[in-house]
Amino acid sequence: MAVFEVRSWHRGPCVVVRAAGELDMAVAPRLDAEIGRALDLAECPCLVLDLTEVPFCDSVGLGVLVSALTRVRDAHGRLILVVRPGMVARLLTITNLDRYFETRGSLREALAAA
């Protein structure tokens, strides 16, 4: 069984949440909880969600991402996904969610954009 890790930290005006490992229905609640904690830290959040080390995402994981986007927008904040070419980027494209998510190719680019 692959290990899924999630951690968060502050970087400037943003909270960065980094996930590593396969994002599936078994671990999606852990990511959702970490995002919730990050969003509780600020009135107008800037959340950078680093998915560069997530090789797989199922529909439940995708639902966590959509929920995070909704919560950030409801708080008048900003969500930036960090994704590299691969399965997660393709998933966003084929579901047309790439139209709604702001994405960057590296954590450095995301933090500079924020």
Side-chain angles (χ1 to χ4, degrees), residues 4 6 17 19 23 27-35 49 51 64-65:
F4 182 80
V6 62
V17 175
L23 178 53
V27 299
R30 287 179 46 208
L31 179 60
D32 189 54
E34 191 69 28
I35 290 169
L49 186 51
L51 302 174
V64 169
L65 301 181

Side-chain angles (χ1 to χ4, degrees), residues 75 79 88 107 112:
L79 172 64
V88 175
L107 182 56

Side-chain angles (χ1 to χ4, degrees), residues 90-110:
R90 283 192 307 276
L91 181 62
L92 294 174
T93 300
I94 63 173
T95 58
N96 285 321
L97 289 172
D98 58 337
R99 296 177 178 198
Y100 301 98
F101 284 101
E102 180 179 356
T103 61
R104 296 290 187 271
S106 72
L107 182 56
R108 180 182 299 198
E109 291 174 21

Side-chain angles (χ1 to χ4, degrees), residues 9-89:
W9 66 92
H10 284 274
R11 175 65 70 78
C14 297
V15 176
V16 177
V17 175
R18 174 177 284 160
E22 294 188 354
L23 178 53
D24 59 23
M25 64 186 258
V27 299
R30 287 179 46 208
L31 179 60
D32 189 54
E34 191 69 28
I35 290 169
R37 281 189 289 278
L39 294 177
D40 287 343
L41 297 176
E43 289 180 25
C44 185
C46 174
L47 178 63
V48 175
L49 186 51
D50 186 348
L51 302 174
T52 56
E53 297 198 27
V54 174
F56 173 81
C57 179
D58 70 6
S59 61
V60 178
L62 189 60
V64 169
L65 301 181
V66 171
S67 173
L69 180 61
T70 301
R71 290 187 286 179
V72 168
R73 285 185 174 174
D74 287 349
H76 305 286
R78 184 174 182 190
L79 172 64
I80 303 172
L81 295 183
V82 183
V83 294
R84 291 191 180 134
M87 190 272 176
V88 175

